[in-house]
Amino acid sequence: MDTTGPGPIPRLSFLTDDSASPLPAIMSLSTSVYNVFFKRNSVFASTVFAGAFFFGVGFDSLVQSTYDKWNAGKQWKDIRHKYVEEE
């Protein structure tokens, strides 16, 4: 039997160098996020509800402004002055 083979697989230093790895920073950030938002169920539920509320407000504003730009000149607020006389 030939046990010499091609030799060990070379280690890629840029993948194993701990000083250049962003992993400690990511772990620190994820630990902080966990401790602030997810550790207690009441804070987690509040975060979910607040996120859903602010997402809904932002999404509604985005859709409304897009609709107004798309239909500019065709809406009642744009043509009201042609049909209503101010007293």
Side-chain angles (χ1 to χ4, degrees), residues 16-80:
T16 58
D17 185 16
D18 289 335
S19 64
S21 174
L23 193 58
I26 292 172
M27 292 297 289
S28 173
L29 178 66
S30 66
T31 302
S32 298
V33 168
Y34 171 77
N35 285 333
V36 171
F37 295 111
F38 303 123
K39 194 169 186 178
R40 295 183 53 190
N41 189 43
S42 59
V43 177
F44 175 68
S46 300
T47 303
V48 169
F49 289 132
F53 175 77
F54 288 114
F55 176 79
V57 169
F59 187 77
D60 184 52
S61 298
L62 176 69
V63 170
Q64 186 68 39
S65 65
T66 304
Y67 181 82
D68 287 342
K69 287 179 186 175
W70 187 271
N71 294 305
K74 303 175 197 172
Q75 299 179 52
W76 177 248
K77 66 181 180 179
D78 298 330
I79 61 171
R80 182 177 191 270

Side-chain angles (χ1 to χ4, degrees), residues 4-20:
T4 56
I9 298 173
R11 294 180 58 115
L12 301 175
S13 63
F14 66 90
L15 292 178
T16 58
D17 185 16
D18 289 335
S19 64

